[in-house]
Amino acid sequence: MRAAIYARKSSDSDDKQVLSLPAQVGWARERCRDLGLSAPLVLEESRSAKTPGRPAFNRLMALVEAGKIDTILCWKADRLARNALDGGRVVWALETRTLERIETSDRTYGGKSDEVFILGLELGLSAKYSKDLAQNIRRGMAEKLKRGEWPGYAPLGYKNVREGADHSMIAVDERTAPLVSELFRVAASGTISLSELAKRATDEWGLRLPRRRPNTPERGIAVTTLHFVLRNPFYYGAMRMTGQLYAGTHTPLVTKETFDRVQEVLSGRRTMAERPKRLRFALTGLLRCGKCGRNLTAYAQKKPSGKAYTYYTCTSRMRGRCDLPPLSEPRALAPVRDTLSKLALTRPDLDLALGRLAELRERAGADIASRRGSLDARIAASKKTQADLLDLILAGTVTRADYERKRAELTTEETRLTLERDS
Protein backbone atom coordinates (compact mmCIF):
# COMPACT_ATOMS: atom_id res chain seq x y z
CA MET A 1 0.00 0.00 0.00
CA ARG A 2 1.22 3.47 -0.81
CA ALA A 3 0.52 7.06 0.08
CA ALA A 4 -0.19 9.75 -2.49
CA ILE A 5 0.38 13.48 -2.28
CA TYR A 6 -2.17 15.58 -4.15
CA ALA A 7 -1.45 19.28 -4.73
CA ARG A 8 -3.72 21.61 -6.68
CA LYS A 9 -3.65 25.31 -7.46
CA SER A 10 -6.05 27.06 -9.78
CA SER A 11 -5.83 30.56 -11.25
CA ASP A 12 -9.25 31.59 -9.89
CA SER A 13 -9.53 34.61 -7.65
CA ASP A 14 -10.68 32.45 -4.74
CA ASP A 15 -7.33 30.60 -4.85
CA LYS A 16 -5.06 33.63 -4.47
CA GLN A 17 -4.33 32.88 -0.81
CA VAL A 18 -3.63 29.17 -1.32
CA LEU A 19 -0.07 27.88 -1.03
CA SER A 20 1.85 27.31 -4.24
CA LEU A 21 2.26 23.77 -5.56
CA PRO A 22 5.88 23.38 -4.32
CA ALA A 23 4.85 24.63 -0.86
CA GLN A 24 1.96 22.14 -0.70
CA VAL A 25 4.21 19.26 -1.80
CA GLY A 26 6.94 20.33 0.65
CA TRP A 27 4.52 20.28 3.58
CA ALA A 28 3.16 16.88 2.49
CA ARG A 29 6.65 15.32 2.26
CA GLU A 30 7.48 16.48 5.78
CA ARG A 31 4.19 15.02 6.99
CA CYS A 32 5.03 11.72 5.28
CA ARG A 33 8.36 11.58 7.15
CA ASP A 34 6.55 12.22 10.44
CA LEU A 35 4.11 9.38 9.70
CA GLY A 36 6.77 6.99 8.44
CA LEU A 37 5.39 6.93 4.88
CA SER A 38 8.05 6.41 2.21
CA ALA A 39 8.12 6.99 -1.54
CA PRO A 40 4.74 8.72 -1.84
CA LEU A 41 3.24 9.19 -5.26
CA VAL A 42 3.11 12.93 -6.07
CA LEU A 43 0.27 14.27 -8.24
CA GLU A 44 0.07 17.95 -9.10
CA GLU A 45 -2.23 19.95 -11.33
CA SER A 46 -3.23 23.54 -11.98
CA ARG A 47 -6.94 23.14 -12.56
CA SER A 48 -10.09 24.48 -10.99
CA ALA A 49 -12.07 21.91 -8.98
CA LYS A 50 -15.43 23.57 -9.59
CA THR A 51 -16.30 21.03 -12.29
CA PRO A 52 -15.35 17.35 -12.73
CA GLY A 53 -12.73 16.27 -15.23
CA ARG A 54 -9.32 16.87 -13.59
CA PRO A 55 -6.83 14.30 -14.99
CA ALA A 56 -4.57 14.06 -11.91
CA PHE A 57 -7.51 13.77 -9.52
CA ASN A 58 -9.17 11.10 -11.67
CA ARG A 59 -5.90 9.14 -11.73
CA LEU A 60 -5.64 9.45 -7.94
CA MET A 61 -9.17 8.16 -7.36
CA ALA A 62 -8.68 5.34 -9.88
CA LEU A 63 -5.66 4.16 -7.88
CA VAL A 64 -7.64 4.45 -4.64
CA GLU A 65 -10.59 2.50 -6.04
CA ALA A 66 -8.17 -0.15 -7.38
CA GLY A 67 -6.75 -0.62 -3.88
CA LYS A 68 -3.28 0.74 -4.74
CA ILE A 69 -3.46 3.90 -2.60
CA ASP A 70 -4.74 3.92 0.97
CA THR A 71 -3.55 7.34 2.23
CA ILE A 72 -3.93 10.78 0.67
CA LEU A 73 -2.05 13.84 1.86
CA CYS A 74 -3.22 17.29 0.75
CA TRP A 75 -2.92 20.78 2.21
CA LYS A 76 -6.69 21.31 2.69
CA ALA A 77 -9.76 19.21 1.99
CA ASP A 78 -10.98 21.69 -0.63
CA ARG A 79 -7.87 20.87 -2.70
CA LEU A 80 -9.50 17.52 -3.44
CA ALA A 81 -12.93 18.70 -4.59
CA ARG A 82 -15.20 21.70 -4.99
CA ASN A 83 -18.04 19.90 -6.75
CA ALA A 84 -20.53 17.27 -5.63
CA LEU A 85 -19.40 14.48 -8.00
CA ASP A 86 -15.72 14.51 -7.04
CA GLY A 87 -16.54 15.12 -3.38
CA GLY A 88 -18.88 12.12 -3.38
CA ARG A 89 -16.13 9.87 -4.74
CA VAL A 90 -13.77 10.90 -1.95
CA VAL A 91 -16.37 10.53 0.83
CA TRP A 92 -17.56 7.16 -0.49
CA ALA A 93 -13.99 5.82 -0.71
CA LEU A 94 -13.39 6.82 2.91
CA GLU A 95 -16.74 5.49 4.09
CA THR A 96 -16.22 2.07 2.45
CA ARG A 97 -12.66 1.88 3.82
CA THR A 98 -11.24 1.73 0.28
CA LEU A 99 -9.33 4.78 1.46
CA GLU A 100 -7.89 4.48 4.97
CA ARG A 101 -7.29 8.13 5.74
CA ILE A 102 -6.79 11.65 4.42
CA GLU A 103 -4.13 13.82 6.04
CA THR A 104 -4.47 17.61 5.81
CA SER A 105 -2.66 20.46 7.55
CA ASP A 106 -5.38 20.85 10.17
CA ARG A 107 -7.15 17.49 10.45
CA THR A 108 -6.97 13.74 9.87
CA TYR A 109 -9.99 12.08 8.28
CA GLY A 110 -10.34 8.35 8.91
CA GLY A 111 -13.16 5.85 8.55
CA LYS A 112 -15.07 6.88 11.68
CA SER A 113 -18.58 8.12 11.06
CA ASP A 114 -17.91 11.52 12.65
CA GLU A 115 -14.79 12.04 10.53
CA VAL A 116 -16.58 11.02 7.33
CA PHE A 117 -19.43 13.36 8.22
CA ILE A 118 -17.05 16.29 8.83
CA LEU A 119 -15.27 15.64 5.53
CA GLY A 120 -18.56 15.52 3.63
CA LEU A 121 -19.66 18.73 5.33
CA GLU A 122 -16.43 20.54 4.49
CA LEU A 123 -16.46 19.41 0.86
CA GLY A 124 -20.13 20.40 0.57
CA LEU A 125 -19.39 23.85 2.01
CA SER A 126 -16.47 24.17 -0.40
CA ALA A 127 -18.73 23.39 -3.37
CA LYS A 128 -21.33 25.85 -2.10
CA TYR A 129 -18.69 28.55 -1.70
CA SER A 130 -17.65 28.13 -5.35
CA LYS A 131 -21.27 28.35 -6.53
CA ASP A 132 -21.99 31.39 -4.35
CA LEU A 133 -18.83 33.06 -5.60
CA ALA A 134 -19.85 32.54 -9.23
CA GLN A 135 -23.34 33.92 -8.53
CA ASN A 136 -21.91 36.93 -6.74
CA ILE A 137 -19.57 37.63 -9.65
CA ARG A 138 -22.45 37.43 -12.15
CA ARG A 139 -24.60 39.63 -9.92
CA GLY A 140 -21.81 42.19 -9.61
CA MET A 141 -21.29 42.23 -13.37
CA ALA A 142 -25.03 42.74 -13.95
CA GLU A 143 -25.08 45.67 -11.50
CA LYS A 144 -22.10 47.29 -13.22
CA LEU A 145 -23.76 46.93 -16.60
CA LYS A 146 -26.96 48.54 -15.29
CA ARG A 147 -24.88 51.47 -14.04
CA GLY A 148 -23.34 51.79 -17.49
CA GLU A 149 -19.92 50.42 -16.44
CA TRP A 150 -18.02 47.76 -18.38
CA PRO A 151 -17.02 44.85 -16.06
CA GLY A 152 -14.15 43.44 -18.12
CA TYR A 153 -10.98 44.40 -19.96
CA ALA A 154 -11.15 47.70 -21.80
CA PRO A 155 -11.57 47.27 -25.57
CA LEU A 156 -8.95 48.59 -27.97
CA GLY A 157 -8.94 52.40 -27.78
CA TYR A 158 -9.76 52.44 -24.05
CA LYS A 159 -7.92 51.58 -20.86
CA ASN A 160 -8.82 50.33 -17.38
CA VAL A 161 -8.28 52.95 -14.68
CA ARG A 162 -8.50 51.91 -11.04
CA GLU A 163 -10.08 54.56 -8.82
CA GLY A 164 -9.87 52.54 -5.61
CA ALA A 165 -9.26 49.11 -4.18
CA ASP A 166 -12.71 47.88 -5.22
CA HIS A 167 -13.64 50.11 -8.15
CA SER A 168 -12.27 50.72 -11.63
CA MET A 169 -13.55 52.54 -14.69
CA ILE A 170 -13.04 52.67 -18.44
CA ALA A 171 -11.22 55.73 -19.81
CA VAL A 172 -10.22 56.76 -23.31
CA ASP A 173 -6.68 55.78 -24.29
CA GLU A 174 -5.23 58.96 -25.77
CA ARG A 175 -2.74 57.05 -27.92
CA THR A 176 -4.94 54.43 -29.56
CA ALA A 177 -8.39 56.09 -29.48
CA PRO A 178 -7.74 58.37 -32.54
CA LEU A 179 -6.46 55.36 -34.48
CA VAL A 180 -9.59 53.33 -33.67
CA SER A 181 -11.75 56.27 -34.82
CA GLU A 182 -9.75 56.33 -38.04
CA LEU A 183 -10.37 52.59 -38.47
CA PHE A 184 -14.12 53.22 -38.46
CA ARG A 185 -13.82 56.22 -40.78
CA VAL A 186 -11.82 54.29 -43.38
CA ALA A 187 -14.01 51.18 -43.03
CA ALA A 188 -17.16 53.27 -43.50
CA SER A 189 -15.83 54.55 -46.83
CA GLY A 190 -15.68 51.00 -48.19
CA THR A 191 -12.66 51.84 -50.32
CA ILE A 192 -10.26 49.14 -49.06
CA SER A 193 -10.58 45.58 -47.87
CA LEU A 194 -10.32 44.53 -44.24
CA SER A 195 -6.97 42.81 -44.85
CA GLU A 196 -5.54 46.00 -46.35
CA LEU A 197 -6.95 48.08 -43.51
CA ALA A 198 -5.48 45.71 -40.90
CA LYS A 199 -2.08 45.86 -42.59
CA ARG A 200 -2.19 49.65 -42.78
CA ALA A 201 -3.19 49.96 -39.11
CA THR A 202 -0.35 47.68 -38.04
CA ASP A 203 2.49 48.76 -40.36
CA GLU A 204 1.75 52.43 -41.06
CA TRP A 205 -0.18 53.60 -37.99
CA GLY A 206 1.64 51.43 -35.46
CA LEU A 207 -1.57 50.23 -33.83
CA ARG A 208 -0.96 47.36 -31.40
CA LEU A 209 -3.18 45.28 -29.15
CA PRO A 210 -2.74 46.02 -25.43
CA ARG A 211 -0.75 43.47 -23.44
CA ARG A 212 -2.90 41.73 -20.83
CA ARG A 213 0.13 40.22 -19.08
CA PRO A 214 3.66 41.59 -18.61
CA ASN A 215 5.36 38.75 -20.52
CA THR A 216 2.95 38.82 -23.46
CA PRO A 217 4.49 40.34 -26.62
CA GLU A 218 2.71 43.12 -28.43
CA ARG A 219 0.70 42.02 -31.47
CA GLY A 220 -0.53 43.84 -34.49
CA ILE A 221 -4.12 43.95 -35.74
CA ALA A 222 -5.29 40.77 -37.46
CA VAL A 223 -8.29 40.69 -39.77
CA THR A 224 -10.40 38.75 -37.26
CA THR A 225 -9.54 41.28 -34.54
CA LEU A 226 -10.38 44.15 -36.85
CA HIS A 227 -13.71 42.58 -37.73
CA PHE A 228 -14.52 42.17 -34.02
CA VAL A 229 -13.63 45.82 -33.33
CA LEU A 230 -15.79 47.11 -36.18
CA ARG A 231 -18.74 45.00 -34.98
CA ASN A 232 -18.46 46.06 -31.34
CA PRO A 233 -21.23 48.54 -30.32
CA PHE A 234 -19.04 49.67 -27.41
CA TYR A 235 -17.48 52.29 -29.67
CA TYR A 236 -20.73 54.24 -30.12
CA GLY A 237 -21.73 54.03 -26.45
CA ALA A 238 -23.55 50.68 -26.04
CA MET A 239 -22.28 47.55 -24.30
CA ARG A 240 -23.16 44.04 -25.44
CA MET A 241 -23.13 41.20 -22.91
CA THR A 242 -24.75 37.76 -23.43
CA GLY A 243 -26.69 39.07 -26.42
CA GLN A 244 -28.18 42.06 -24.57
CA LEU A 245 -27.31 45.71 -25.07
CA TYR A 246 -26.73 48.13 -22.20
CA ALA A 247 -26.17 51.86 -22.34
CA GLY A 248 -22.65 52.79 -21.28
CA THR A 249 -21.41 55.89 -19.50
CA HIS A 250 -18.02 55.81 -21.29
CA THR A 251 -17.05 58.29 -24.00
CA PRO A 252 -17.96 57.04 -27.51
CA LEU A 253 -15.24 57.06 -30.17
CA VAL A 254 -17.61 57.11 -33.16
CA THR A 255 -21.15 58.22 -33.86
CA LYS A 256 -24.05 55.81 -34.24
CA GLU A 257 -24.36 56.87 -37.89
CA THR A 258 -20.73 55.96 -38.61
CA PHE A 259 -21.11 52.62 -36.82
CA ASP A 260 -24.27 51.79 -38.81
CA ARG A 261 -22.53 52.71 -42.05
CA VAL A 262 -19.66 50.33 -41.20
CA GLN A 263 -22.17 47.54 -40.53
CA GLU A 264 -23.74 48.11 -43.94
CA VAL A 265 -20.32 47.92 -45.60
CA LEU A 266 -19.39 44.73 -43.73
CA SER A 267 -22.74 43.09 -44.50
CA GLY A 268 -22.41 44.03 -48.16
CA ARG A 269 -18.96 42.47 -48.34
CA ARG A 270 -20.22 39.29 -46.77
CA THR A 271 -23.05 39.05 -49.27
CA MET A 272 -20.70 39.65 -52.19
CA ALA A 273 -18.28 37.06 -50.88
CA GLU A 274 -20.87 34.31 -50.53
CA ARG A 275 -20.29 31.47 -52.95
CA PRO A 276 -21.76 27.99 -53.08
CA LYS A 277 -19.45 25.68 -51.22
CA ARG A 278 -20.51 22.57 -53.13
CA LEU A 279 -22.41 21.55 -56.22
CA ARG A 280 -26.18 21.37 -55.94
CA PHE A 281 -28.06 18.44 -57.45
CA ALA A 282 -31.76 18.26 -58.18
CA LEU A 283 -32.51 14.99 -56.36
CA THR A 284 -30.08 15.11 -53.43
CA GLY A 285 -31.79 13.83 -50.28
CA LEU A 286 -34.84 12.52 -52.16
CA LEU A 287 -33.64 9.10 -53.37
CA ARG A 288 -32.88 5.91 -51.44
CA CYS A 289 -31.13 2.72 -52.47
CA GLY A 290 -33.48 -0.07 -53.57
CA LYS A 291 -31.24 -2.71 -51.98
CA CYS A 292 -30.07 -1.39 -48.63
CA GLY A 293 -32.29 1.65 -48.11
CA ARG A 294 -29.42 4.13 -47.65
CA ASN A 295 -29.53 7.61 -49.17
CA LEU A 296 -28.19 8.14 -52.66
CA THR A 297 -25.48 10.75 -53.10
CA ALA A 298 -24.74 12.60 -56.34
CA TYR A 299 -21.54 13.43 -58.18
CA ALA A 300 -20.68 15.05 -61.51
CA GLN A 301 -18.34 13.50 -64.05
CA LYS A 302 -16.91 15.27 -67.07
CA LYS A 303 -16.33 13.17 -70.18
CA PRO A 304 -13.40 13.66 -72.62
CA SER A 305 -15.82 15.49 -74.90
CA GLY A 306 -16.17 18.17 -72.21
CA LYS A 307 -19.80 17.40 -71.44
CA ALA A 308 -20.71 16.86 -67.76
CA TYR A 309 -23.02 14.10 -66.54
CA THR A 310 -24.62 13.60 -63.13
CA TYR A 311 -24.86 10.23 -61.43
CA TYR A 312 -26.48 9.03 -58.18
CA THR A 313 -24.86 6.25 -56.19
CA CYS A 314 -25.53 4.54 -52.87
CA THR A 315 -23.54 5.87 -49.92
CA SER A 316 -22.89 2.27 -48.84
CA ARG A 317 -21.39 1.51 -52.26
CA MET A 318 -18.75 4.14 -51.58
CA ARG A 319 -17.75 2.07 -48.51
CA GLY A 320 -17.85 -1.20 -50.43
CA ARG A 321 -21.01 -2.45 -48.70
CA CYS A 322 -23.47 -2.26 -51.63
CA ASP A 323 -23.20 -3.34 -55.26
CA LEU A 324 -25.96 -1.15 -56.75
CA PRO A 325 -24.49 0.46 -59.89
CA PRO A 326 -24.57 4.26 -60.28
CA LEU A 327 -27.80 5.71 -61.67
CA SER A 328 -27.70 8.42 -64.34
CA GLU A 329 -29.76 11.55 -63.71
CA PRO A 330 -32.12 11.05 -66.70
CA ARG A 331 -33.05 7.57 -65.40
CA ALA A 332 -33.48 8.93 -61.88
CA LEU A 333 -35.72 11.77 -63.10
CA ALA A 334 -38.07 9.53 -65.09
CA PRO A 335 -40.14 8.23 -62.12
CA VAL A 336 -40.05 11.71 -60.56
CA ARG A 337 -41.61 13.20 -63.69
CA ASP A 338 -44.29 10.48 -63.73
CA THR A 339 -45.19 11.25 -60.10
CA LEU A 340 -45.26 15.01 -60.65
CA SER A 341 -47.46 14.67 -63.71
CA LYS A 342 -50.11 13.06 -61.53
CA LEU A 343 -49.93 15.94 -59.08
CA ALA A 344 -50.30 18.72 -61.66
CA LEU A 345 -52.63 21.54 -60.55
CA THR A 346 -55.63 22.58 -62.57
CA ARG A 347 -55.93 26.22 -63.58
CA PRO A 348 -58.51 27.04 -60.86
CA ASP A 349 -56.30 25.40 -58.23
CA LEU A 350 -53.31 27.41 -59.44
CA ASP A 351 -55.25 30.70 -59.35
CA LEU A 352 -56.47 29.90 -55.84
CA ALA A 353 -52.92 29.16 -54.62
CA LEU A 354 -51.52 32.34 -56.19
CA GLY A 355 -54.32 34.40 -54.67
CA ARG A 356 -53.68 32.93 -51.25
CA LEU A 357 -49.96 33.67 -51.60
CA ALA A 358 -50.70 37.29 -52.50
CA GLU A 359 -52.93 37.61 -49.41
CA LEU A 360 -50.21 36.23 -47.17
CA ARG A 361 -47.63 38.61 -48.61
CA GLU A 362 -49.95 41.58 -48.17
CA ARG A 363 -50.73 40.60 -44.59
CA ALA A 364 -47.04 40.10 -43.79
CA GLY A 365 -46.22 43.53 -45.23
CA ALA A 366 -48.97 45.13 -43.16
CA ASP A 367 -47.75 43.38 -40.02
CA ILE A 368 -44.20 44.57 -40.61
CA ALA A 369 -45.35 48.14 -41.23
CA SER A 370 -47.52 48.07 -38.10
CA ARG A 371 -44.68 46.65 -36.00
CA ARG A 372 -42.23 49.28 -37.23
CA GLY A 373 -44.75 52.03 -36.62
CA SER A 374 -45.27 50.82 -33.08
CA LEU A 375 -41.52 50.64 -32.47
CA ASP A 376 -41.03 54.14 -33.92
CA ALA A 377 -43.68 55.48 -31.56
CA ARG A 378 -42.04 53.80 -28.56
CA ILE A 379 -38.61 55.15 -29.58
CA ALA A 380 -40.04 58.66 -29.92
CA ALA A 381 -41.69 58.34 -26.50
CA SER A 382 -38.38 57.23 -24.97
CA LYS A 383 -36.57 60.22 -26.48
CA LYS A 384 -39.25 62.59 -25.18
CA THR A 385 -38.96 61.07 -21.70
CA GLN A 386 -35.20 61.58 -21.79
CA ALA A 387 -35.69 65.23 -22.78
CA ASP A 388 -38.21 65.73 -19.97
CA LEU A 389 -35.82 64.04 -17.54
CA LEU A 390 -33.06 66.44 -18.59
CA ASP A 391 -35.36 69.40 -17.92
CA LEU A 392 -36.09 68.02 -14.45
CA ILE A 393 -32.44 67.74 -13.47
CA LEU A 394 -31.70 71.21 -14.84
CA ALA A 395 -34.54 72.52 -12.71
CA GLY A 396 -33.15 70.68 -9.67
CA THR A 397 -36.26 68.53 -9.27
CA VAL A 398 -34.42 65.17 -9.36
CA THR A 399 -31.03 64.15 -7.99
CA ARG A 400 -28.07 63.38 -10.21
CA ALA A 401 -28.05 59.71 -9.12
CA ASP A 402 -31.73 59.26 -10.01
CA TYR A 403 -31.15 61.01 -13.32
CA GLU A 404 -28.20 58.76 -14.27
CA ARG A 405 -30.09 55.59 -13.28
CA LYS A 406 -33.20 56.49 -15.26
CA ARG A 407 -31.20 57.76 -18.23
CA ALA A 408 -29.29 54.47 -18.42
CA GLU A 409 -32.58 52.54 -18.40
CA LEU A 410 -34.10 54.74 -21.11
CA THR A 411 -30.99 54.60 -23.30
CA THR A 412 -30.81 50.82 -23.03
CA GLU A 413 -34.50 50.55 -23.93
CA GLU A 414 -34.08 52.91 -26.90
CA THR A 415 -31.09 50.92 -28.20
CA ARG A 416 -33.03 47.65 -27.88
CA LEU A 417 -36.05 49.07 -29.71
CA THR A 418 -33.86 50.50 -32.48
CA LEU A 419 -32.15 47.16 -33.03
CA GLU A 420 -35.51 45.37 -33.05
CA ARG A 421 -36.93 47.85 -35.56
CA ASP A 422 -33.94 47.61 -37.92
CA SER A 423 -33.69 43.80 -37.75
Side-chain angles (χ1 to χ4, degrees), residues 209-274:
L209 294 177
R211 292 188 296 181
R212 302 302 185 193
R213 297 179 180 176
N215 297 330
T216 303
E218 285 191 342
R219 293 182 296 141
I221 304 300
V223 175
T224 53
T225 303
L226 176 60
H227 192 273
F228 177 79
V229 168
L230 297 177
R231 289 289 194 186
N232 193 349
F234 193 92
Y235 294 101
Y236 75 83
M239 303 179 298
R240 182 166 51 212
M241 179 69 72
T242 62
Q244 184 175 354
L245 282 178
Y246 299 85
T249 57
H250 58 277
T251 303
L253 298 186
V254 298
T255 64
K256 182 66 164 58
E257 291 74 18
T258 301
F259 182 83
D260 290 341
R261 172 57 185 157
V262 171
Q263 308 316 300
E264 293 176 1
V265 172
L266 294 178
S267 298
R269 281 179 176 157
R270 185 177 70 250
T271 302
M272 293 294 292
E274 286 180 353

Side-chain angles (χ1 to χ4, degrees), residues 129-382:
Y129 172 79
S130 295
K131 293 180 180 178
D132 290 345
L133 183 66
Q135 291 177 357
N136 291 335
I137 291 174
R138 286 194 293 268
R139 188 181 300 113
M141 292 176 63
E143 289 299 323
K144 291 195 71 172
L145 289 169
K146 289 180 180 178
R147 295 197 304 265
E149 302 175 8
W150 182 246
Y153 283 120
L156 182 66
Y158 295 89
K159 59 184 178 181
N160 294 97
V161 178
R162 183 163 292 280
E163 291 185 326
D166 58 350
H167 185 263
S168 62
M169 60 175 292
I170 300 291
V172 174
D173 187 346
E174 294 79 5
R175 186 183 68 85
T176 58
L179 300 179
V180 174
S181 300
E182 185 66 10
L183 282 178
F184 277 90
R185 188 192 67 79
V186 177
S189 67
T191 55
I192 64 175
S193 65
L194 290 184
S195 59
E196 292 173 345
L197 181 56
K199 182 175 178 57
R200 179 184 298 182
T202 301
D203 298 340
E204 299 180 15
W205 304 351
L207 187 58
R208 296 289 187 274
L209 294 177
R211 292 188 296 181
R212 302 302 185 193
R213 297 179 180 176
N215 297 330
T216 303
E218 285 191 342
R219 293 182 296 141
I221 304 300
V223 175
T224 53
T225 303
L226 176 60
H227 192 273
F228 177 79
V229 168
L230 297 177
R231 289 289 194 186
N232 193 349
F234 193 92
Y235 294 101
Y236 75 83
M239 303 179 298
R240 182 166 51 212
M241 179 69 72
T242 62
Q244 184 175 354
L245 282 178
Y246 299 85
T249 57
H250 58 277
T251 303
L253 298 186
V254 298
T255 64
K256 182 66 164 58
E257 291 74 18
T258 301
F259 182 83
D260 290 341
R261 172 57 185 157
V262 171
Q263 308 316 300
E264 293 176 1
V265 172
L266 294 178
S267 298
R269 281 179 176 157
R270 185 177 70 250
T271 302
M272 293 294 292
E274 286 180 353
R275 296 289 185 275
K277 296 181 180 179
R278 59 182 181 180
L279 295 175
R280 298 182 180 274
F281 300 97
L283 302 178
T284 300
L286 299 177
L287 303 179
R288 290 186 176 273
C289 177
K291 285 194 173 183
C292 64
R294 298 295 297 271
N295 287 333
L296 297 187
T297 186
Y299 65 93
Q301 190 175 54
K302 184 175 289 188
K303 299 296 184 179
S305 62
K307 190 173 181 180
Y309 295 88
T310 299
Y311 295 91
Y312 293 86
T313 185
C314 179
T315 53
S316 293
R317 176 184 174 84
M318 301 174 67
R319 301 182 179 92
R321 302 173 186 170
C322 183
D323 58 355
L324 183 75
L327 183 66
S328 65
E329 189 170 59
R331 290 183 58 193
L333 284 172
V336 176
R337 289 196 183 97
D338 293 341
T339 303
L340 291 178
S341 64
K342 300 174 183 178
L343 301 176
L345 295 176
T346 63
R347 188 63 197 183
D349 292 335
L350 180 61
D351 293 340
L352 180 62
L354 293 176
R356 180 59 177 165
L357 180 60
E359 291 178 6
L360 293 175
R361 286 179 176 174
E362 183 178 355
R363 184 182 303 173
D367 291 342
I368 292 175
S370 175
R371 174 172 165 271
R372 286 183 176 176
S374 175
L375 291 173
D376 286 335
R378 293 171 64 183
I379 292 171
S382 178

Side-chain angles (χ1 to χ4, degrees), residues 69-180:
I69 295 293
D70 67 348
T71 302
I72 296 177
L73 297 96
C74 59
W75 172 246
K76 296 287 184 183
D78 65 359
R79 298 299 86 200
L80 287 172
R82 280 179 177 253
N83 66 82
L85 181 60
D86 291 343
R89 292 180 69 183
V90 175
V91 172
W92 180 249
L94 198 62
E95 184 175 342
T96 58
R97 305 296 294 179
T98 307
L99 182 64
E100 294 294 332
R101 61 181 170 175
I102 299 174
E103 292 283 342
T104 67
S105 61
D106 53 5
R107 186 185 295 272
T108 298
Y109 303 93
K112 295 180 180 180
S113 60
D114 290 346
E115 295 172 339
V116 174
F117 172 75
I118 293 296
L119 177 62
L121 184 62
E122 290 190 1
L123 293 180
L125 291 174
S126 177
K128 185 178 185 305
Y129 172 79
S130 295
K131 293 180 180 178
D132 290 345
L133 183 66
Q135 291 177 357
N136 291 335
I137 291 174
R138 286 194 293 268
R139 188 181 300 113
M141 292 176 63
E143 289 299 323
K144 291 195 71 172
L145 289 169
K146 289 180 180 178
R147 295 197 304 265
E149 302 175 8
W150 182 246
Y153 283 120
L156 182 66
Y158 295 89
K159 59 184 178 181
N160 294 97
V161 178
R162 183 163 292 280
E163 291 185 326
D166 58 350
H167 185 263
S168 62
M169 60 175 292
I170 300 291
V172 174
D173 187 346
E174 294 79 5
R175 186 183 68 85
T176 58
L179 300 179
V180 174

